[in-house]
Coordinates of all heavy atoms in Angstrom, one line a residue:
A1 N 0.8 -1.2 0.0 CA 0.0 0.0 0.0 C 0.9 1.3 0.0 O 0.5 2.2 -0.6 CB -0.9 0.0 1.2
D2 N 2.0 1.2 0.7 CA 2.9 2.4 0.7 C 3.5 2.6 -0.6 O 3.7 3.8 -1.0 CB 4.0 2.2 1.8 CG 3.5 2.2 3.2 OD1 2.4 2.8 3.4 OD2 4.1 1.7 4.1
L3 N 3.8 1.6 -1.4 CA 4.4 1.8 -2.7 C 3.4 2.4 -3.7 O 3.8 3.2 -4.6 CB 4.9 0.5 -3.2 CG 6.1 -0.1 -2.5 CD1 6.5 -1.5 -3.1 CD2 7.3 0.8 -2.6
L4 N 2.1 2.1 -3.6 CA 1.2 2.7 -4.5 C 1.0 4.2 -4.2 O 0.8 5.0 -5.1 CB -0.2 2.0 -4.3 CG -0.3 0.6 -4.7 CD1 -1.7 0.0 -4.4 CD2 0.0 0.5 -6.2
A5 N 1.2 4.7 -3.0 CA 1.1 6.1 -2.7 C 2.3 6.8 -3.0 O 2.3 8.1 -3.0 CB 0.7 6.2 -1.2
A6 N 3.4 6.1 -3.3 CA 4.7 6.8 -3.6 C 4.6 7.5 -4.9 O 5.3 8.5 -5.1 CB 5.8 5.8 -3.6
G7 N 3.9 7.1 -5.9 CA 3.8 7.7 -7.2 C 3.3 9.2 -7.1 O 4.0 10.1 -7.6
P8 N 2.1 9.4 -6.5 CA 1.7 10.8 -6.4 C 2.6 11.7 -5.6 O 2.8 12.9 -5.9 CB 0.3 10.7 -5.7 CG -0.2 9.3 -6.0 CD 1.1 8.5 -6.1
R9 N 3.2 11.1 -4.5 CA 4.1 11.9 -3.7 C 5.4 12.3 -4.5 O 5.9 13.4 -4.4 CB 4.5 11.2 -2.5 CG 3.4 11.1 -1.4 CD 4.0 10.6 -0.1 NE 4.5 9.3 -0.2 CZ 4.0 8.2 0.4 NH1 2.9 8.3 1.2 NH2 4.5 7.0 0.2
S10 N 5.8 11.4 -5.3 CA 7.0 11.6 -6.1 C 6.7 12.7 -7.2 O 7.5 13.6 -7.5 CB 7.5 10.4 -6.8 OG 7.9 9.4 -5.9
A11 N 5.5 12.6 -7.8 CA 5.1 13.6 -8.8 C 4.9 14.9 -8.2 O 5.3 15.9 -8.8 CB 3.8 13.1 -9.5
A12 N 4.4 15.0 -7.0 CA 4.2 16.3 -6.3 C 5.6 16.9 -5.9 O 5.8 18.1 -6.1 CB 3.4 16.1 -5.0
E13 N 6.5 16.0 -5.5 CA 7.9 16.5 -5.2 C 8.6 17.1 -6.5 O 9.2 18.1 -6.4 CB 8.7 15.4 -4.6 CG 10.0 15.9 -4.0 CD 10.8 14.8 -3.3 OE1 10.2 13.7 -3.1 OE2 11.9 15.1 -2.9
L14 N 8.5 16.3 -7.6 CA 9.1 16.8 -8.8 C 8.5 18.1 -9.3 O 9.2 19.0 -9.7 CB 8.9 15.7 -9.9 CG 9.5 16.0 -11.3 CD1 11.0 16.2 -11.2 CD2 9.2 14.9 -12.2
A15 N 7.1 18.2 -9.3 CA 6.5 19.4 -9.8 C 6.8 20.6 -8.9 O 7.1 21.7 -9.4 CB 4.9 19.2 -9.8
G16 N 6.9 20.4 -7.6 CA 7.3 21.5 -6.7 C 8.7 21.9 -6.9 O 9.0 23.1 -6.9
A17 N 9.6 21.0 -7.1 CA 11.0 21.3 -7.4 C 11.2 22.1 -8.7 O 11.9 23.1 -8.7 CB 11.8 20.1 -7.4
I18 N 10.4 21.7 -9.7 CA 10.5 22.4 -11.0 C 9.9 23.8 -10.8 O 10.5 24.8 -11.3 CB 9.8 21.6 -12.1 CG1 10.6 20.4 -12.4 CG2 9.6 22.5 -13.3 CD1 9.9 19.4 -13.3
A19 N 8.8 23.9 -10.2 CA 8.2 25.2 -10.0 C 9.1 26.1 -9.1 O 9.3 27.3 -9.4 CB 6.8 25.1 -9.3
L20 N 9.7 25.6 -8.1 CA 10.6 26.3 -7.3 C 11.9 26.8 -8.0 O 12.3 27.9 -7.9 CB 11.0 25.5 -6.1 CG 11.6 26.2 -4.9 CD1 10.7 27.2 -4.3 CD2 12.0 25.2 -3.8
A21 N 12.4 25.9 -8.8 CA 13.6 26.3 -9.6 C 13.3 27.3 -10.7 O 14.1 28.2 -10.9 CB 14.2 25.0 -10.3
A22 N 12.1 27.3 -11.2 CA 11.7 28.3 -12.2 C 11.2 29.6 -11.6 O 11.1 30.6 -12.3 CB 10.6 27.7 -13.1
G23 N 10.9 29.5 -10.3 CA 10.4 30.7 -9.6 C 8.9 30.9 -9.8 O 8.4 32.0 -9.7
F24 N 8.2 29.9 -10.3 CA 6.8 30.0 -10.6 C 6.0 29.6 -9.3 O 6.1 28.5 -8.8 CB 6.4 29.0 -11.7 CG 5.0 29.0 -12.0 CD1 4.4 30.1 -12.7 CD2 4.2 27.9 -11.7 CE1 3.0 30.1 -13.0 CE2 2.8 27.9 -12.0 CZ 2.3 29.0 -12.6
M25 N 5.3 30.6 -8.8 CA 4.6 30.4 -7.5 C 5.4 29.8 -6.5 O 5.1 28.8 -5.8 CB 3.3 29.6 -7.8 CG 2.3 30.3 -8.7 SD 0.8 29.3 -9.1 CE 0.2 29.0 -7.5
A26 N 6.6 30.4 -6.3 CA 7.7 29.8 -5.5 C 7.2 29.5 -4.0 O 7.6 28.5 -3.4 CB 8.9 30.6 -5.5
Q27 N 6.5 30.5 -3.4 CA 6.1 30.3 -2.0 C 5.1 29.1 -1.9 O 5.2 28.4 -0.9 CB 5.5 31.6 -1.5 CG 6.6 32.6 -1.2 CD 6.1 33.9 -0.8 OE1 5.2 34.5 -1.4 NE2 6.6 34.4 0.4
W28 N 4.2 29.0 -2.8 CA 3.3 27.9 -2.8 C 4.0 26.5 -3.0 O 3.7 25.5 -2.4 CB 2.2 28.1 -3.7 CG 1.2 29.1 -3.3 CD1 1.1 30.4 -3.8 CD2 0.3 29.0 -2.2 NE1 0.2 31.1 -3.1 CE2 -0.4 30.3 -2.1 CE3 -0.1 28.0 -1.4 CZ2 -1.4 30.5 -1.2 CZ3 -1.1 28.3 -0.4 CH2 -1.7 29.5 -0.4
A29 N 5.0 26.6 -4.0 CA 5.7 25.4 -4.3 C 6.6 25.0 -3.0 O 6.6 23.8 -2.7 CB 6.7 25.6 -5.5
A30 N 7.2 25.9 -2.4 CA 7.9 25.6 -1.2 C 7.1 25.1 -0.1 O 7.4 24.1 0.6 CB 8.7 26.9 -0.7
L31 N 5.9 25.6 0.1 CA 4.9 25.1 1.1 C 4.5 23.6 0.7 O 4.5 22.8 1.6 CB 3.7 26.0 1.1 CG 2.7 25.7 2.2 CD1 3.4 25.9 3.6 CD2 1.5 26.6 2.1
G32 N 4.3 23.4 -0.5 CA 4.0 22.0 -0.9 C 5.2 21.0 -0.7 O 5.0 19.9 -0.2
L33 N 6.4 21.5 -0.9 CA 7.6 20.7 -0.6 C 7.7 20.4 0.9 O 8.2 19.3 1.3 CB 8.8 21.3 -1.2 CG 8.9 21.2 -2.8 CD1 10.1 22.0 -3.3 CD2 9.0 19.8 -3.2
I34 N 7.4 21.4 1.7 CA 7.4 21.2 3.1 C 6.5 20.1 3.5 O 6.8 19.2 4.3 CB 7.1 22.5 3.9 CG1 8.2 23.5 3.7 CG2 6.8 22.2 5.3 CD1 7.9 24.9 4.3
L35 N 5.3 20.1 2.9 CA 4.3 19.0 3.2 C 4.8 17.7 2.8 O 4.6 16.7 3.5 CB 3.0 19.3 2.6 CG 2.2 20.6 3.1 CD1 1.0 20.8 2.3 CD2 1.9 20.4 4.6
V36 N 5.4 17.6 1.6 CA 6.0 16.3 1.1 C 7.1 15.8 2.1 O 7.2 14.7 2.4 CB 6.6 16.5 -0.3 CG1 7.4 15.3 -0.7 CG2 5.4 16.7 -1.3
M37 N 7.9 16.8 2.6 CA 9.0 16.4 3.5 C 8.5 15.9 4.8 O 9.0 15.0 5.5 CB 10.0 17.5 3.6 CG 10.9 17.8 2.4 SD 11.8 16.4 1.9 CE 11.0 16.0 0.3
L38 N 7.4 16.6 5.3 CA 6.8 16.2 6.5 C 6.3 14.7 6.4 O 6.3 13.9 7.3 CB 5.7 17.1 7.0 CG 6.2 18.5 7.5 CD1 5.0 19.4 7.7 CD2 7.0 18.3 8.8
G39 N 5.7 14.4 5.2 CA 5.2 13.1 5.0 C 6.4 12.1 4.9 O 6.3 11.0 5.5
A40 N 7.5 12.5 4.4 CA 8.7 11.6 4.4 C 9.2 11.4 5.8 O 9.6 10.3 6.1 CB 9.8 12.2 3.5
I41 N 9.2 12.4 6.6 CA 9.7 12.3 8.0 C 8.7 11.3 8.7 O 9.2 10.5 9.5 CB 9.8 13.6 8.7 CG1 11.0 14.4 8.1 CG2 9.9 13.5 10.2 CD1 11.1 15.8 8.6
Y42 N 7.5 11.5 8.5 CA 6.5 10.6 9.1 C 6.8 9.1 8.8 O 6.8 8.3 9.7 CB 5.1 11.0 8.7 CG 4.0 10.0 9.2 CD1 3.6 9.9 10.5 CD2 3.5 9.1 8.3 CE1 2.7 9.0 10.9 CE2 2.6 8.1 8.7 CZ 2.2 8.1 10.0 OH 1.3 7.1 10.5
M43 N 7.0 8.9 7.5 CA 7.3 7.5 7.1 C 8.5 7.0 7.7 O 8.6 5.9 8.2 CB 7.3 7.4 5.6 CG 6.0 7.7 4.8 SD 4.7 6.5 5.2 CE 5.3 5.1 4.4
K44 N 9.6 7.8 7.7 CA 10.9 7.3 8.2 C 10.9 7.2 9.7 O 11.4 6.2 10.2 CB 12.0 8.2 7.7 CG 12.3 8.1 6.3 CD 13.5 9.0 5.9 CE 14.0 8.8 4.5 NZ 15.2 9.5 4.2
A45 N 10.3 8.1 10.4 CA 10.5 8.2 11.8 C 9.4 7.3 12.5 O 9.8 6.6 13.5 CB 10.3 9.6 12.4
F46 N 8.2 7.3 12.1 CA 7.1 6.6 12.8 C 6.8 5.2 12.2 O 6.4 4.3 12.9 CB 5.9 7.5 12.9 CG 6.2 8.7 13.6 CD1 6.2 10.0 13.0 CD2 6.4 8.7 15.0 CE1 6.5 11.1 13.6 CE2 6.7 9.9 15.7 CZ 6.8 11.1 15.0
K47 N 6.8 5.1 10.9 CA 6.5 3.8 10.3 C 7.7 2.9 10.2 O 7.6 1.7 10.5 CB 5.9 4.0 8.9 CG 4.5 4.5 8.9 CD 3.7 3.9 7.9 CE 2.2 4.3 8.1 NZ 1.3 3.5 7.3
W48 N 8.8 3.4 9.8 CA 10.0 2.6 9.6 C 10.9 2.6 10.8 O 12.0 1.9 10.8 CB 10.7 3.0 8.3 CG 9.9 2.9 7.1 CD1 8.8 2.1 6.9 CD2 10.1 3.7 5.9 NE1 8.3 2.3 5.6 CE2 9.1 3.3 5.0 CE3 10.9 4.7 5.5 CZ2 8.9 3.8 3.7 CZ3 10.8 5.2 4.2 CH2 9.8 4.8 3.4
K49 N 10.6 3.5 11.8 CA 11.4 3.6 13.0 C 12.9 3.9 12.7 O 13.8 3.3 13.4 CB 11.3 2.3 13.8 CG 9.9 1.9 14.1 CD 9.2 2.8 15.1 CE 7.9 2.2 15.5 NZ 6.8 3.0 15.5
T50 N 13.1 4.8 11.8 CA 14.5 5.2 11.5 C 14.9 6.4 12.4 O 14.1 7.3 12.6 CB 14.6 5.6 10.0 OG1 14.1 4.6 9.2 CG2 16.0 6.0 9.6
G51 N 16.1 6.3 12.9 CA 16.5 7.4 13.8 C 16.8 8.7 13.0 O 16.8 8.7 11.7
F52 N 17.1 9.8 13.7 CA 17.4 11.0 13.0 C 18.6 10.9 12.0 O 18.5 11.4 10.9 CB 17.7 12.1 14.1 CG 18.0 13.5 13.5 CD1 16.9 14.2 13.0 CD2 19.2 14.0 13.4 CE1 17.1 15.5 12.4 CE2 19.5 15.3 12.9 CZ 18.4 16.0 12.4
W53 N 19.7 10.3 12.4 CA 20.8 10.1 11.5 C 20.7 8.8 10.8 O 21.2 8.6 9.7 CB 22.1 10.1 12.3 CG 22.4 11.4 12.9 CD1 22.4 11.7 14.2 CD2 22.7 12.6 12.3 NE1 22.6 13.0 14.4 CE2 22.8 13.6 13.2 CE3 22.8 13.0 10.9 CZ2 23.1 14.9 12.9 CZ3 23.1 14.3 10.6 CH2 23.3 15.3 11.6
G54 N 19.9 7.8 11.3 CA 19.7 6.5 10.6 C 21.0 5.7 10.5 O 22.0 6.0 11.0
E55 N 20.8 4.6 9.7 CA 21.9 3.7 9.4 C 22.5 4.1 8.0 O 21.7 4.3 7.1 CB 21.5 2.3 9.4 CG 21.1 1.8 10.8 CD 20.6 0.3 10.7 OE1 21.0 -0.4 9.8 OE2 19.8 -0.1 11.6
K56 N 23.8 4.2 7.9 CA 24.4 4.6 6.7 C 23.9 5.9 6.1 O 23.6 6.0 4.9 CB 24.2 3.4 5.6 CG 24.8 2.1 6.0 CD 24.6 1.1 5.0 CE 25.2 -0.2 5.5 NZ 24.9 -1.3 4.5
S57 N 23.6 6.8 7.0 CA 23.2 8.2 6.7 C 21.8 8.1 6.0 O 21.5 8.9 5.1 CB 24.2 8.9 5.8 OG 23.8 10.2 5.6
M58 N 20.9 7.2 6.3 CA 19.6 7.1 5.8 C 18.5 7.6 6.7 O 17.4 7.1 6.7 CB 19.3 5.6 5.4 CG 20.2 5.1 4.3 SD 20.1 6.0 2.7 CE 18.6 5.4 2.1
G59 N 18.9 8.5 7.6 CA 17.9 9.0 8.5 C 17.0 10.1 7.9 O 17.0 10.3 6.7
W60 N 16.4 10.9 8.8 CA 15.5 12.0 8.2 C 16.1 13.4 8.5 O 15.4 14.3 8.4 CB 14.1 11.8 8.8 CG 14.0 11.5 10.2 CD1 14.1 10.2 10.8 CD2 13.8 12.4 11.3 NE1 13.9 10.3 12.2 CE2 13.7 11.6 12.5 CE3 13.6 13.8 11.4 CZ2 13.5 12.2 13.8 CZ3 13.4 14.3 12.7 CH2 13.4 13.6 13.8
H61 N 17.4 13.4 8.7 CA 18.0 14.7 8.9 C 18.0 15.6 7.6 O 17.9 16.8 7.6 CB 19.5 14.6 9.4 CG 20.4 13.8 8.5 ND1 20.3 12.4 8.4 CD2 21.3 14.1 7.6 CE1 21.1 11.9 7.5 NE2 21.8 13.0 7.0
Y62 N 18.1 14.9 6.5 CA 18.1 15.6 5.2 C 16.7 16.3 4.9 O 16.7 17.4 4.4 CB 18.4 14.7 4.1 CG 18.5 15.3 2.7 CD1 19.5 16.2 2.4 CD2 17.6 15.0 1.7 CE1 19.6 16.8 1.2 CE2 17.7 15.6 0.5 CZ 18.7 16.5 0.2 OH 18.8 17.0 -1.1
E63 N 15.7 15.6 5.3 CA 14.3 16.2 5.1 C 14.1 17.4 6.0 O 13.5 18.4 5.6 CB 13.3 15.1 5.5 CG 13.1 14.1 4.4 CD 14.1 13.0 4.5 OE1 14.9 13.0 5.4 OE2 14.0 12.1 3.6
V64 N 14.7 17.4 7.2 CA 14.6 18.6 8.1 C 15.4 19.8 7.5 O 14.9 20.9 7.5 CB 15.2 18.2 9.5 CG1 15.3 19.5 10.4 CG2 14.3 17.2 10.2
L65 N 16.5 19.5 6.9 CA 17.3 20.5 6.2 C 16.4 21.1 5.0 O 16.4 22.4 4.9 CB 18.6 20.0 5.6 CG 19.4 20.9 4.8 CD1 20.0 22.0 5.7 CD2 20.5 20.1 4.1
L66 N 15.8 20.3 4.2 CA 15.0 20.8 3.2 C 13.8 21.6 3.7 O 13.4 22.6 3.0 CB 14.5 19.6 2.3 CG 15.6 18.9 1.5 CD1 15.0 17.7 0.8 CD2 16.2 19.9 0.5
I67 N 13.2 21.2 4.8 CA 12.1 22.0 5.4 C 12.6 23.3 5.8 O 11.9 24.4 5.5 CB 11.5 21.2 6.6 CG1 10.7 20.0 6.1 CG2 10.6 22.2 7.4 CD1 10.2 19.1 7.2
M68 N 13.7 23.4 6.4 CA 14.3 24.7 6.8 C 14.6 25.6 5.6 O 14.3 26.8 5.6 CB 15.6 24.5 7.6 CG 15.4 23.9 8.9 SD 14.3 24.8 10.0 CE 13.1 23.6 10.4
M69 N 15.1 25.0 4.5 CA 15.4 25.8 3.3 C 14.1 26.3 2.7 O 14.1 27.5 2.2 CB 16.2 25.0 2.3 CG 17.6 24.7 2.8 SD 18.7 23.8 1.7 CE 17.8 22.9 0.6
N70 N 13.1 25.5 2.7 CA 11.8 25.9 2.1 C 11.1 26.9 3.0 O 10.4 27.8 2.5 CB 11.0 24.7 1.8 CG 11.4 24.0 0.5 OD1 11.5 24.6 -0.5 ND2 11.6 22.7 0.7
L71 N 11.3 26.8 4.3 CA 10.7 27.8 5.2 C 11.3 29.2 4.9 O 10.6 30.2 5.0 CB 11.0 27.5 6.6 CG 10.0 26.5 7.3 CD1 10.4 26.1 8.7 CD2 8.6 27.1 7.3
V72 N 12.6 29.3 4.5 CA 13.2 30.6 4.2 C 12.5 31.2 3.0 O 12.1 32.4 2.9 CB 14.7 30.4 3.9 CG1 15.3 31.7 3.3 CG2 15.4 30.1 5.2
I73 N 12.2 30.4 2.0 CA 11.5 30.8 0.8 C 10.0 31.2 1.1 O 9.6 32.2 0.6 CB 11.5 29.8 -0.3 CG1 13.0 29.6 -0.8 CG2 10.7 30.2 -1.5 CD1 13.2 28.4 -1.7
V74 N 9.4 30.5 1.9 CA 8.0 30.8 2.3 C 7.9 32.1 3.0 O 7.1 33.0 2.8 CB 7.4 29.7 3.2 CG1 6.1 30.1 3.8 CG2 7.1 28.4 2.3
T75 N 8.9 32.4 4.0 CA 8.8 33.6 4.8 C 9.5 34.8 4.1 O 9.0 35.9 4.3 CB 9.5 33.3 6.1 OG1 10.9 32.9 5.9 CG2 8.8 32.3 6.9
M76 N 10.5 34.6 3.3 CA 11.2 35.7 2.7 C 10.8 36.0 1.3 O 11.1 37.1 0.8 CB 12.8 35.5 2.8 CG 13.3 35.2 4.1 SD 13.1 36.6 5.2 CE 14.2 37.8 4.6
G77 N 10.2 35.1 0.6 CA 9.8 35.3 -0.7 C 10.8 34.7 -1.7 O 11.9 34.3 -1.3
P78 N 10.4 34.6 -3.0 CA 11.3 34.0 -4.0 C 12.4 34.8 -4.5 O 13.4 34.2 -5.0 CB 10.3 33.7 -5.1 CG 9.3 34.7 -5.0 CD 9.1 35.0 -3.5
G79 N 12.4 36.1 -4.3 CA 13.5 36.9 -4.8 C 13.2 37.7 -6.0 O 12.0 37.6 -6.5
R80 N 14.1 38.4 -6.6 CA 13.9 39.3 -7.7 C 13.5 38.6 -9.0 O 12.7 39.1 -9.8 CB 15.1 40.2 -7.8 CG 15.0 41.2 -8.9 CD 16.2 42.0 -9.0 NE 16.5 42.7 -7.8 CZ 17.7 43.2 -7.4 NH1 18.7 43.1 -8.3 NH2 17.8 43.8 -6.3
Y81 N 14.2 37.5 -9.3 CA 14.0 36.8 -10.6 C 13.1 35.6 -10.5 O 13.4 34.5 -10.8 CB 15.4 36.4 -11.0 CG 16.4 37.5 -11.2 CD1 17.5 37.6 -10.3 CD2 16.3 38.4 -12.1 CE1 18.4 38.6 -10.4 CE2 17.1 39.5 -12.3 CZ 18.2 39.6 -11.4 OH 19.1 40.6 -11.5
S82 N 11.8 35.9 -10.2 CA 10.8 34.8 -10.1 C 9.7 35.2 -11.1 O 9.5 36.3 -11.5 CB 10.3 34.7 -8.7 OG 9.6 35.9 -8.3
L83 N 9.0 34.2 -11.4 CA 7.9 34.4 -12.4 C 6.6 34.7 -11.7 O 6.3 34.4 -10.6 CB 7.6 33.1 -13.2 CG 8.8 32.6 -14.0 CD1 8.5 31.3 -14.7 CD2 9.2 33.6 -15.1

């Protein structure tokens, strides 16, 4: 069941990343990516019981970093060269 839900999540992550890179509705794209990363943290921390650093660097520390980077875009705006 988890693998079936991975398709839409992957598509949402890809669309958000493209929109963010292009500067198209960047704050909304960043907010969407935050939600995707929260879902990834939920899966890793609560379903798969992976620690923060995990084994072989497979923890959820990277997702926290991406959330923080996207929070900067949500709060500060996309910048001068956005669509």
Side-chain angles (χ1 to χ4, degrees):
D2 290 337
L3 291 176
L4 294 177
R9 285 191 299 245
S10 297
E13 186 173 358
L14 178 63
I18 291 171
L20 195 61
F24 180 70
M25 296 178 58
Q27 287 176 306
W28 288 104
L31 189 61
L33 287 173
I34 288 172
L35 294 175
V36 169
M37 291 302 113
L38 287 173
I41 289 173
Y42 170 76
M43 293 298 290
K44 286 184 173 185
F46 299 109
K47 286 218 171 193
W48 301 334
K49 306 289 190 227
T50 304
F52 182 73
W53 296 110
E55 294 179 22
K56 299 181 184 175
S57 189
M58 297 298 286
W60 43 277
H61 58 283
Y62 183 67
E63 285 83 2
V64 172
L65 175 70
L66 292 175
I67 288 173
M68 294 299 128
M69 292 183 334
N70 282 306
L71 274 175
V72 170
I73 295 170
V74 168
T75 57
M76 302 299 289
R80 183 180 300 161
Y81 302 109
S82 63
L83 300 176

